[in-house]
Amino acid sequence: MMRSTWRDRDRQDFQKHLPDGITTQQHLAQALHATRTDNKPIPGFNPNVDHVQYYRAQQGIDCDEVYPGIYIGDAATAKNIEYLKMLGITHLLNAAQGKKFGFVNTDESYYINTTIKYLGLPLADLLTTDISKYFYTAAAFIDEAVSTGGKAFVHCMLGISRSATCVLAYLMIKKGMLAVDAIRTVRKNRNVQPNSGFLYQLAQLDNQLRRQRL
């Protein structure tokens, strides 16, 4: 009986009319293309320091703070434990955990000698991948870091699609941002590009959240 009641409520939420119209994949793609990424120094490094060893330490680092306490980066940076410690990372989300091509082969054991809390999601960067089933899991994990004064590092292979989608879901679910505003916030700080399948799922999430708030 209870299950039927929840299904009826879900159906009613889905049928609610959105005064401003539904969000589509095209709307989010337009927001991406219309938002320019600022050129900023690598987090954790002082741009005013002019020293050879300091420059060398920055080589191979691909990381940007896209929201206070939230960083998006690539696989190589995620494996750079010294850099993660320097940033003060407390939580690390690997949105591409796996051993196949296009995945990042790390797990909890890689960070066993650190205090970093780890979460791995086995996501392929494909249009058909259902990333939406992890939206609330990723959002809760990132929120655990930020809400306790910690820092979250979210990555995939390149830090462009899977990781960015997880952060966008967090901003929508936990910070109440509309999808377009979340995209503008992240894209302004890093040149992200979620694949079109992920954009479609973010649009669906946006519509769902907007209906719940009516």
Side-chain angles (χ1 to χ4, degrees), residues 79-95:
K79 292 180 178 180
N80 189 332
I81 291 177
E82 290 305 312
Y83 178 67
L84 298 178
K85 287 180 178 179
M86 184 176 76
L87 279 184
I89 298 300
T90 59
H91 292 62
L92 185 138
L93 195 167
N94 177 0

Side-chain angles (χ1 to χ4, degrees), residues 62-207:
D62 181 6
C63 171
D64 294 287
E65 187 173 19
V66 297
Y67 189 81
I70 302 175
Y71 300 79
I72 295 179
D74 67 355
T77 307
K79 292 180 178 180
N80 189 332
I81 291 177
E82 290 305 312
Y83 178 67
L84 298 178
K85 287 180 178 179
M86 184 176 76
L87 279 184
I89 298 300
T90 59
H91 292 62
L92 185 138
L93 195 167
N94 177 0
Q97 180 176 294
K99 297 181 179 180
K100 296 181 180 178
F101 179 78
F103 290 80
V104 185
N105 186 20
T106 58
D107 55 23
E108 294 92 341
S109 63
Y110 188 85
Y111 302 95
I112 196 168
N113 293 321
T114 75
T115 57
I116 295 173
K117 187 172 182 179
Y118 176 89
L119 174 65
L121 304 178
L123 295 165
D125 188 19
L126 300 173
L127 305 183
T128 54
T129 295
D130 182 9
I131 196 171
S132 66
K133 65 184 178 182
Y134 293 112
F135 279 167
Y136 284 85
T137 300
F141 185 77
I142 296 170
D143 190 58
E144 182 181 279
V146 177
S147 64
T148 57
K151 294 181 179 181
F153 186 92
V154 187
H155 77 93
C156 44
M157 274 296 291
L158 300 177
I160 293 175
S161 183
R162 288 165 283 188
S163 53
T165 302
C166 289
V167 172
L168 291 168
Y170 159 79
L171 292 175
M172 295 163 64
I173 294 168
K174 296 296 184 178
K175 294 301 180 182
M177 288 190 187
L178 296 175
V180 167
D181 294 331
I183 283 175
R184 288 171 179 156
T185 298
V186 174
R187 173 84 164 192
K188 184 172 172 35
N189 293 292
R190 183 173 177 85
N191 189 18
V192 299
Q193 184 65 61
N195 72 50
S196 59
F198 293 171
L199 288 180
Y200 173 81
Q201 292 172 70
L202 287 170
Q204 295 298 102
L205 175 65
D206 193 59
N207 293 325

Side-chain angles (χ1 to χ4, degrees), residues 23-33 179-180 183 199 202-203:
T23 304
T24 67
Q25 172 193 327
Q26 287 73 24
H27 290 144
L28 304 192
Q30 288 170 1
L32 272 174
H33 297 315
V180 167
I183 283 175
L199 288 180
L202 287 170

